[in-house]
Amino acid sequence: MSKKFGQNFLLPRSVRERIVSQMGDIEGKRVFEIGPGLGAITSIMLEKGALVTAFEIDHGFASILRNEAFLDEENFTLVEGDALKTMRGESEIPSLIVGNLPYNVGSVMIADLIERGFLPGRMVFTLQKEVVERMCASPGGKDYSSFSLLSQLDYVPSLSFTIARSCFYPEPNVDSAVVVMEKKSEKAIADDERARFFTLLRALFSQRRKTIKNNLSRLVPDKERLSEILFKAGLDEKERAENLRLEDIIRLLRSF
Ligand code: SAM
């Protein structure tokens, strides 16, 4: 086992089953699993008839999965390597993406999927509880950040249940929670607006304590023009990004 890959294994079968139950009916559906480890969640998904493509970085685990654990399992496909890179080789979007994600890279993986528009109907992740709280946060609260808006652009994320540290081996020093991300039925923005939306989001939250006008001044150096844009979007220049709702930011995007 190696610490650098964030390996904490989920032990109780009841908890692993509860996670799989959040995925809905997976029989015959293509599921991508990030970080299968030794197959704790994978095995239950396969029992339920899912077609699993698993992305594992650890060479030792990959060979156990491939040559022993799921050797005769025709519904199991393994892709060895860093999921951040190897998933880019997949052109077909699966029904679900799931994973008990390594704490150090969980939010990076989710942001990457959303930023490049690789969006299955549902995603179910086990993450550090604070990360899940940030994903589900509402405007104005202490947990609300650009990551909340990123998570809520295409999905409705909800904290499904928490998992005690004692359920993992080795025991991590953070609490965990399961987040279910349900894709919205309608797109909030058009595909050709996405890149500009993410640029705007990064600029708005570049310095938390500053006003939106201040944070946007690098994007729009002309102060008068910036005031016009904010006025057109119906936003107060002294407002802070942490109070903006998704629809405010979309209005702002379109007033440029
Ligand atoms: N799914 C197993 C479980 O629930 O017991 C293991 C979960 S463990 C928290 C995270 C897993 O992700 C490990 O197997 C680790 O090797 C793998 N991993 C870490 N970084 C990865 C990456 N960049 N790409 C693919 N897998 C990764």
Side-chain angles (χ1 to χ4, degrees), residues 114-115 150 153 193-203:
I114 292 171
E115 289 205 29
L150 198 86
L153 174 64
E193 290 179 310
R194 291 183 81 84
R196 282 184 295 127
F197 177 86
F198 298 123
T199 305
L200 178 60
L201 202 55
R202 262 188 289 274

Side-chain angles (χ1 to χ4, degrees), residues 2 4-11 16 33-42 55-58 61 81-84 86 99-105 109 168:
S2 82
K4 73 174 175 194
F5 294 145
Q7 293 169 344
N8 299 89
F9 298 105
L10 190 51
L11 301 180
R16 293 185 278 126
E33 183 186 13
I34 307 172
L38 290 172
I41 298 166
T42 329
F55 300 81
E56 176 56 58
I57 199 168
D58 186 300
F61 291 167
D82 181 351
L84 263 176
T86 53
N100 172 9
L101 292 184
Y103 298 123
N104 43 356
V105 287
M109 296 240 181
F168 294 91

